[in-house]
Structures are given as C-alpha cells and as structure tokens.
Amino acid sequence: MGMLENKFQDNVVVAKLDKLIGWARSTSPWYFQFGLACCAIEMMATAASRHDLERLGMMPRSSPRQADVMIVAGTVTMKMALRVKKLYEQMANPKYVIAMGSCATSGGPYWQHGYHVLKGVDIVVPVDVYVPGCPPRPEALIEGLLKLQEKILDERPLTRKMA
Amino acid sequence: MSADQERLIAELVEKGLAGEMDEINAIEDRVLRGKVKAALAKAKRAAKAAAPKEEKLVEESPTDAPPSENPHQKFGKMIEDKFPGSLAAGLNDTHIQLKPNNWFEIAKWLKSEPTLHFDSLQCHTGMDVGENMLEARYNLHSMTHDHYIEIRIAVSRDNAKIPSTEQIWRIGDWFERETYDMLGIHFEGHRDHRRMLLPEDWEGYPLRKDYEVQETYHGIVVPKVKEGWE
C-alpha cells in the first residue's frame, strides 16, 4: 500500500475495493434451500449444529431473490429441470451453482435407464462446483463450499476483463 | 357348625342350583341364610369355571369342519349372480376377472352390499400384460368382515377405457391418475384426470412395453439408453 501505509490509526484497514468486494462476497454466500432427494438430508445435516454452515457465513434462504448460491441437492427430473432453470434465472447476480451428489452432476444411478432424469444439472444451468458422492458427506459439501469461496475470492468484479 | 346344619346347607344349595330360591329366601335365621347364599355363589362359580372347559375340549376335538371357501370363488359367484355376464373369465382362486363395461355399478355394489362391504381400496395398479392388452388391478378389503379380493380388468390398447371408481373409493383418485400416467388407461368419469408424476406435455406412457423415449423435452435432449454396456 506504499503511500498510505501507517498514515491512519490502528483500527483502519486499507484494501483494494476489488479485493474487498470479493472477500465480502466469499464470506457470505447465502444458499438457496433446494432439496430434491436424499442429498437434501445431507445438506440439512451440514447446516445443522454439528457441522454448522453459519460459521462460514452461509445461511439458507427460501427465496431465489435473496440467494447467492444454489445447491442443487438431488435428482433433477425433466419436469424439475425447467423449474431449476427458472429459479436460477430468478436469482440476482452474482450467482453460483453447486451440483451436489452424483445425480446432479451426471444423473447418478439413473444415467443409463432413467428416461425422466436430467443427466447432470449442467445441461440447464452453469455449474461452478461439483461435489461427488451418493450422497456426499457433510465434509464433502463443506469442501465444495470452501472451493466456491476460493473461486469467489479470486474474482475481480471491478477489474475490466481483457478482451 | 353342626352336621345337621351342614346337611341342610348342602340340600338348599342343590335346590338353589336347580333354580328354586324360594326355600332359601324363606329361611328366617339371617346367619344361616347368608351362609347358604355364600355356599350357593361358590357352587355356581365352580360350575361356571368347569363348564366352559368342557365345551372347549369338545371344540378342540378333531371335527370335520368344511374348508373355508375361497373369497374369489364365493364373491365371484355373487357378482355373477347379481350382474350376469360381467365376468370376463372363469372363476379361480387368485382373482376375479371382470369386464370393464359395468365396473362402476359392480364397485358401488361391492361397497354398499352389507355382506361384502368392501370399504377400502388397498391398492390399485396397472400392468401391460402383453398381446395388446392392458390391465388394471384392484385390491379390496373389508374392514367389517376382514376379507380381501383382487379384481382385474383387462382392456385393449386401442380402447383403453375403464369406468373410474374415484367417487366410490376416494383413495382411487391418485391411484388412477398414476395408472393413467404410466400406462395410458383412461378412467372415465374421473373428476381430475391429469398425469400424476410426469409433466403434462410428456409424450407416451413409460410402463407400456413398446414405450419409446422421446428425443427432446423443451429443448433438453433426452439421452437414449446406451447400448452395449453391461
């Protein structure tokens, strides 16, 4: 920080706005409650007291308008796929998607014969983090969320992107 | 107590057991009357305890009881008597095969007839039985009489129509919607005849044997079954 260093009192932190926004976003990714199948149980366990997602600044929201992260927890059927897409479109930017479990990443046990199952939620919405497992343990989901935090932290929302 | 008194009590108790209470009630000595009555009650209790045992022994002895009639035979015959020509096949021990045309009236009668009183539709499902036939199956149970029957109604694919029993057994509402969704059997008279699980605009009925998965759904490609992987 060169010039500005030691020019202020002790309780003032000087940072780049770009980085500050990234830090603020990464430490409060409110997620969209979105249980579709058994993965939802693990998601609930992750949010409950033992694993306690709120210590990471994450809080379940029941409306897509208030959420930053959509955790697609479970089997996405064709009927649901359209609704998942609609809900994703209703979320405000910046928005992120975690595909939780093998159903959401690739169709899971239905990848071959499930005529009614979407083979991976990335067909309808862009996915940021894939969490494997059937269903993934809370630790795995937390790791996925930490990876997402890293990704958000590395973003430079104010920096103009090079063409 | 003297021997005379004892003899008197024994005599009176015997009379009491035979139903003659006048003599006992006529005893003037209250103590004696009480003693007689107590002895009488004791004797009656003993007789009561002994009696059913004997009856039970008689019951348990091997008797040639007639074998209980199979409900499908019994009720199938009742249906045939009440609605002649409604059976689609002969009677057997496992189910009753009915024709679809007057199924609604039969179902109403099965529920309202006091000797049958099938008040609960326990399960309703459908099946593709091949040879261009679809079949709906009803498992009925009566809470009052505790008897079960299975009814089967086969229809051809070209005219897959069965009268709806949704207004008789309300549980049939979703059952019939599911059977319609999966097999395409139309339940005529159903008040909310929509697909149950699949989206409204889905093509085809998945549990039919000749079902072909549609290529796309709202622009999403539906992958076909990949061959050669086992």
Side-chain angles (χ1 to χ4, degrees), chain A residues 78-79 112-113 115 118-119, chain B residues 197 206 220 222-223 225-226:
Chain A
M78 289 292 176
K79 196 178 181 180
Q112 193 180 15
H113 292 293
Y115 61 90
L118 189 71
K119 309 290 186 275
Chain B
L197 301 162
I220 305 163
V222 183
V225 171
K226 297 181 188 81

Side-chain angles (χ1 to χ4, degrees), chain A residues 17-63:
Chain A
L17 188 60
D18 224 13
K19 261 193 153 175
L20 183 73
I21 291 172
W23 171 80
R25 279 179 181 175
S26 76
T27 46
S28 64
W30 291 358
Y31 63 92
F32 183 22
Q33 269 187 352
F34 205 76
L36 296 178
C38 36
C39 280
I41 304 296
E42 294 298 311
M43 189 173 76
M44 285 177 230
T46 317
S49 52
R50 181 174 288 260
H51 296 281
D52 193 15
L53 268 189
E54 294 212 13
R55 74 202 150 98
L56 303 176
M58 294 174 190
M59 196 162 121
R61 306 303 297 176
S62 302
S63 159

Side-chain angles (χ1 to χ4, degrees), chain B residues 88-128:
Chain B
L91 294 173
N92 59 54
D93 282 355
T94 57
H95 61 271
I96 300 169
Q97 191 87 38
L98 291 180
K99 286 176 188 166
N101 37 23
N102 54 352
W103 165 233
F104 184 79
E105 282 74 34
I106 296 172
K108 212 156 74 181
W109 176 74
L110 283 175
K111 192 179 179 183
S112 57
E113 166 69 29
T115 54
L116 300 174
H117 201 245
F118 284 106
D119 51 358
S120 143
L121 174 62
Q122 298 223 309
C123 181
H124 163 73
T125 183
M127 204 176 255
D128 186 347

Side-chain angles (χ1 to χ4, degrees), chain B residues 17-218:
Chain B
L17 283 174
E20 293 167 29
M21 291 295 286
D22 298 343
E23 212 165 323
I24 299 168
N25 289 333
I27 299 169
E28 283 193 8
D29 183 2
R30 283 176 68 185
V31 178
L32 184 63
R33 195 165 69 221
K35 275 183 182 167
V36 172
K37 282 200 171 170
L40 180 62
K42 201 175 167 188
K44 273 187 178 168
R45 248 202 326 273
K48 222 177 201 177
K53 257 185 200 163
E54 280 169 25
E55 276 174 20
K56 236 179 209 172
L57 280 174
V58 173
E59 269 179 9
E60 278 168 7
S61 67
T63 50
D64 291 349
S68 62
E69 232 181 316
N70 184 284
H72 298 102
Q73 301 271 7
K74 196 165 69 184
F75 301 138
K77 204 169 172 306
M78 285 175 79
I79 292 170
E80 179 60 31
D81 291 344
K82 179 84 182 173
F83 301 92
S86 57
L87 292 187
L91 294 173
N92 59 54
D93 282 355
T94 57
H95 61 271
I96 300 169
Q97 191 87 38
L98 291 180
K99 286 176 188 166
N101 37 23
N102 54 352
W103 165 233
F104 184 79
E105 282 74 34
I106 296 172
K108 212 156 74 181
W109 176 74
L110 283 175
K111 192 179 179 183
S112 57
E113 166 69 29
T115 54
L116 300 174
H117 201 245
F118 284 106
D119 51 358
S120 143
L121 174 62
Q122 298 223 309
C123 181
H124 163 73
T125 183
M127 204 176 255
D128 186 347
V129 288
E131 294 164 359
N132 210 29
M133 295 298 270
L134 302 169
E135 198 171 75
R137 297 180 171 184
Y138 301 78
N139 289 79
L140 302 172
H141 174 239
S142 166
M143 300 266 188
T144 18
H145 304 296
D146 194 24
H147 49 217
Y148 299 84
I149 49 168
E150 179 175 334
I151 304 252
R152 296 184 185 177
I153 299 170
V155 284
S156 75
R157 275 168 200 249
D158 320 311
N159 189 27
K161 286 176 182 164
I162 294 176
S164 168
T165 55
E166 169 254 335
Q167 298 192 36
I168 298 169
W169 296 291
R170 281 293 289 133
I171 187 82
D173 185 349
W174 282 17
F175 277 151
E176 285 177 355
R177 278 177 64 187
E178 192 191 347
T179 310
Y180 163 67
D181 193 359
M182 291 292 140
L183 289 155
I185 299 173
H186 290 261
F187 290 93
E188 291 189 309
H190 195 293
R191 289 172 291 182
D192 187 21
H193 202 266
R194 290 178 293 140
R195 276 182 183 272
M196 182 78 209
L197 301 162
L198 287 166
E200 279 295 295
D201 50 359
W202 195 261
E203 291 160 21
Y205 303 103
L207 287 189
R208 288 192 180 187
K209 297 288 181 199
D210 60 348
Y211 174 64
E212 292 265 337
V213 185
Q214 65 195 70
E215 303 269 317
T216 57
Y217 176 68
H218 286 261

